[in-house]
Amino acid sequence: MSGIKDRLNAIRATIPVGVTLLAISKYYPVEDIMEAYDAGQRDFGENKAQDLVAKQQALPADIRWHFTGHLQSNKIKYIAPFVHLIHSVDTLQLLREIDKHGAKAGRIIPCLLQIHIAREETKFGFTPEECLAMLEAGEWQQLSNVRIKGLMCMASNTDDMQVVAQEFARVKQLFDTMRDRWFAGDEGFDTISAGMSDDYQLAIAAGSTCVRIGSSIFGE
């Protein structure tokens, strides 16, 4: 046995009620995902559209598939019919494209806005200021086939946990500002996707409602 069930249950024991455990299954084969599925896991994340489609076709229909990678506009059409949540919307143009493919698929696609808070320039996302400016401009409110459900972020790759905690706190502050100003009364605006294997407990302490964990479940 690979130990996936035991590792999954060990992590579940550390996650409070109300926080979604998203098993990041990129790089891992269908057999490993099935082992986690048989242990009760239903939320899985992939970062490449072609892998997401292949696994969705090969695995049980009640899995909730999340897209967590950098999404190219020409790949949206492949995942639009079934994706449960897109975590990585980093431009208004991408939101427009998702809306267009949502209309073609006859569904409203749930999305998170990706916020760039890390020190690394290589990471994608809106700065908090860009995010607020985009919302203030208002065009997003005309897009009827996407639904903004919250924010996603990746903290800096650093051993300084104080820096990481401060970054998560900034995202929670931005989320609260957005909820009060644009999403008051919208019970669907409820998601902060933050925290991975090394820092998810800090993220939960800061208000994360969805943690993205891969290697700690599936192995290195």
Side-chain angles (χ1 to χ4, degrees), residues 39-187:
Q41 181 67 22
R42 291 295 180 271
D43 290 277
F44 292 91
E46 292 284 328
N47 71 339
K48 291 185 178 177
Q50 61 268 35
D51 293 344
L52 184 56
V53 171
K55 290 176 179 177
Q56 189 263 345
Q57 291 172 348
L59 286 155
D62 63 336
I63 287 177
R64 294 180 291 270
W65 289 105
H66 299 241
F67 188 86
T68 59
H70 184 58
L71 183 57
Q72 296 171 295
S73 295
N74 62 348
K75 300 291 175 62
I76 298 167
K77 61 188 174 187
Y78 300 114
I79 67 172
F82 67 87
V83 69
H84 177 71
L85 180 62
I86 296 174
H87 288 237
S88 46
V89 176
D90 57 1
T91 64
L92 177 60
Q93 176 60 27
L94 186 61
L95 199 62
R96 291 190 198 110
E97 289 294 317
I98 295 168
D99 178 70
K100 185 170 75 177
H101 287 287
K104 289 179 182 176
R107 61 186 298 249
I108 297 169
I109 299 177
C111 296
L112 303 178
L113 302 180
Q114 182 172 350
I115 304 303
H116 188 294
I117 49 156
R119 293 173 171 180
E120 294 90 12
E121 290 301 318
T122 52
K123 292 190 169 83
F124 295 98
F126 296 96
T127 65
E129 296 75 20
E130 289 168 345
C131 181
L132 291 172
M134 189 270 285
L135 293 168
E136 185 68 42
E139 183 188 329
W140 63 277
Q141 291 173 308
Q142 313 304 317
L143 304 176
S144 54
N145 287 88
V146 290
R147 183 174 195 185
I148 297 174
K149 286 186 62 67
L151 302 176
M152 184 270 258
C153 72
M154 284 181 279
S156 293
N157 183 16
T158 174
D159 293 330
D160 188 340
M161 290 296 111
Q162 190 173 356
V163 168
V164 172
Q166 288 169 349
E167 290 171 349
F168 288 145
R170 282 183 68 201
V171 171
K172 177 61 163 66
Q173 186 177 27
L174 177 61
F175 176 87
D176 290 343
T177 297
M178 289 168 57
R179 185 184 55 202
D180 294 345
R181 186 159 184 181
W182 289 285
F183 297 93
D186 181 355
E187 293 181 1

